[in-house]
Amino acid sequence: MNRTQKVITENFNTYKVEQIDKYIENGGFQGLKNALEKGKDFIIDELNISGLRGRGGAAYPTGKKWNGGRQTHADVKYVLCNADEGEPATFKDRELLVKDPYKVLEGLAISGYTFGAKEGFIYIREEYEFLHDKIRKAIKLAEENGYLGKNILGTGFDFSIKVFSGAGAYVCGEGSALIESMEGKAGRPRMKPPRIGVAGYMGKPTQSNNVETLAIVATVLKMGAVNYAKYGTEKSIGTKMISLCGNVKKPGTYEIPFGMSLREIIYDIGGGIVGDKDIKFLQLGGVSGPLMPKKYIDTKYTYEDLEAEGFGIGSGAILVADETKSVIKFLESVSYFFFHESCGKCTPCREGKRQMKKLLDKMSKGTATTKDLKNIEKISRIMTDASFCGLGQTAATAMLTAIKYFSPELCSSIDEIKAL
Amino acid sequence: MTADIFDVNKILKKYEYKDSSLIPILQEVQKLNEEKYISEEMAKYIAAEMKISKTRIYEVITFFSALNDKPKGKYFIQLCNSTVCEITDKDLIENALVSELGIQVGETSQDKMFTLEYTPCFGACDVSPAMRVNKVVYGNLTESKIKSIVSKLRGDTHE
């Protein structure tokens, strides 16, 4: 049975960006109306009931973040929509922006109201350049219809949104690096504290949220948190956008209730494996996520069930690799990516990746020794513990889980050497 | 300089010469150049006009993948080599491209028609293996698709 849902995605394929009237007919901007009418305490309560956790990957409770944020006082504050979706295997934010841009803008306006910002930015990655003008058009139409701009819905709330284009850097998904680039600099993460919520864009408090998070905020405030909370499990409330890809028959973006098993997702939604092959491993949450061997595919897709086994939801990416794929080749691709994307600021990340690349070359050539494997594990742990930002801290996750679950494959040559 | 100084000045004015707008400025200036890059001469000019150091300009250009300090061919082909494309047979596509174009990854053809490079994931994993040609995504690639895309692009030039 295909258990996909249409809650966050309720408006998909119902309107084109020119048709803001259709969005409004579908109940669009009702979330914003409710928010402005009932006030900030109501918004926070609803978010808490909805159990919403940040959908960019960090999974921090949104209600908690927003409640803290609104208590920061400053003359000027900003809100951001982080549409720098750079995590390989992830494309659900792209789908949201393509198929329901107004819902994302609505969520950003609600975030601006709650945080006390008059100006918001939507930071869209360069690779989604085809979206930039579309979003600009949506902003303009929302302004013309009184949902953005001055005195929104006659409430006295002013809020405008600008599009900012990224320039191709994975690390800019990290909030402070993103802000550095918005200020005209190379996107290297900042030292924390202060966090961007205290001193972000132009030194002012800045609240950043992922695209999907903002779409859910608008959804929850429209339908009511109690209704949204009917989906999912007790601890993982609601629905989730996933990016299903790799060797599955029907790759794509789907909305599912938390609590489905990975097997259901892959076979009932994804149609199974291309060529009806067997699964070898999954990678959850994108390139920074762990490799999950096939034996775990009956695990439920919830925060708690995955965490209990050492995995995570991350960005919502589910990459499926069939039985014919080489773990070493896959790791080389992971390593190449991080090697390319490291900003070079801190030593564990910059040099760790250099060493990892060297050792992977040896593995690939079959000349790696047991000592090399121990070395690579040690370097991976140092990178995870000592890197400056999330990029370096997660760059070795795939390697560490490969060592845990697939060491015979990595070590085939090592045993021969030991026997000499 | 390939780009018209008049247009460059217009961009600088639009952003009020603010260094905080350096990234959109460089992106727009690069778009003016048919070879899709910012020449050293141009970088010097912008630095002088904005009263910032040339080093600052180069730090930004070399940091970001979408800003180039070297010229690209008329058709800039970026083949994704991240994880999803890797396991959906990117190698076959790469071999097809290399043999059709007659250049290796990282090279520009002598007639400056094609540049072939790797690129990190651009979020088209639902149609992997994928590539971008002058930023337009081509997905669900096969060897025969590559042949027809390349010959179409070549045909373009005879118009």
Side-chain angles (χ1 to χ4, degrees), chain A residues 331-343:
Chain A
L331 290 173
E332 282 180 321
S333 171
V334 172
S335 157
Y336 185 95
F337 177 80
F338 283 113
F339 187 70
H340 183 268
E341 295 298 333
S342 173
C343 82

Side-chain angles (χ1 to χ4, degrees), chain A residues 126-362:
Chain A
E126 178 274 332
E127 291 80 352
Y128 295 168
E129 198 184 68
F130 58 93
L131 274 171
H132 295 178
D133 282 341
K134 182 181 176 143
I135 300 300
R136 285 193 188 102
K137 187 178 275 176
I139 292 168
K140 193 166 167 269
L141 284 174
E143 275 171 4
E144 285 170 13
N145 284 272
Y147 295 102
L148 287 176
K150 292 253 176 238
N151 192 20
I152 294 169
L153 298 166
T155 58
F157 168 54
D158 301 338
F159 186 70
S160 62
I161 299 176
K162 282 194 192 120
V163 171
F164 191 95
S165 169
Y170 170 77
V171 71
C172 287
E174 198 272 353
S176 67
L178 183 149
I179 284 172
E180 285 285 295
S181 73
M182 282 182 69
E183 294 178 353
K185 290 171 267 181
R188 293 194 190 87
R190 291 177 183 168
M191 179 73 92
K192 292 178 216 59
R195 306 193 74 85
I196 60 169
V198 177
Y201 181 57
M202 298 297 173
K204 302 293 180 188
T206 306
Q207 179 172 279
S208 173
N209 286 104
N210 165 263
V211 173
E212 183 188 347
T213 310
L214 292 172
I216 297 171
V217 167
T219 307
V220 164
L221 287 163
K222 175 193 166 195
M223 72 190 291
V226 173
N227 287 326
Y228 180 75
K230 285 177 185 159
Y231 297 92
T233 66
E234 200 189 325
K235 285 183 185 156
S236 296
I237 301 170
T239 58
K240 173 85 190 90
M241 304 278 299
I242 55 165
S243 310
L244 184 57
C245 57
N247 306 127
V248 286
K249 287 180 185 166
K250 292 190 281 183
T253 304
Y254 301 98
E255 180 181 359
I256 58 157
F258 282 110
M260 285 181 78
S261 74
L262 284 160
R263 185 189 294 278
E264 275 182 280
I265 294 169
I266 294 163
Y267 288 93
D268 295 350
I269 298 176
I273 310 302
V274 177
D276 293 318
K277 289 178 186 152
D278 206 351
I279 295 172
K280 183 163 183 178
F281 63 86
L282 313 181
Q283 190 178 29
L284 299 184
V287 76
S288 62
L291 300 194
M292 174 193 253
K294 185 199 159 196
K295 67 174 177 182
Y296 289 106
I297 68 158
D298 287 306
T299 310
K300 280 187 186 161
Y301 196 70
T302 66
Y303 292 109
E304 63 276 17
D305 289 85
L306 289 171
E307 272 159 28
E309 303 287 2
F311 305 106
I313 281 179
S315 66
I318 302 174
L319 177 156
V320 185
D322 74 41
E323 56 187 328
T324 66
K325 302 301 173 230
S326 149
V327 173
I328 294 177
K329 248 191 129 206
F330 188 84
L331 290 173
E332 282 180 321
S333 171
V334 172
S335 157
Y336 185 95
F337 177 80
F338 283 113
F339 187 70
H340 183 268
E341 295 298 333
S342 173
C343 82
K345 177 168 178 157
C346 75
T347 312
C349 173
R350 184 185 64 240
E351 298 308 319
K353 268 174 272 186
R354 211 170 285 276
Q355 295 307 317
M356 193 181 276
K357 202 160 168 262
K358 272 189 196 164
L359 292 168
L360 261 169
D361 283 346
K362 281 177 119 179

Side-chain angles (χ1 to χ4, degrees), chain B residues 25-42:
Chain B
I25 288 172
L26 293 174
Q27 281 175 323
E28 289 187 30
V29 169
Q30 181 170 282
K31 262 187 209 156
L32 297 175
N33 187 331
E34 273 178 17
E35 292 182 293
K36 307 170 193 65
Y37 83 116
I38 295 158
S39 65
E40 191 178 342
E41 206 185 347
M42 180 59 78

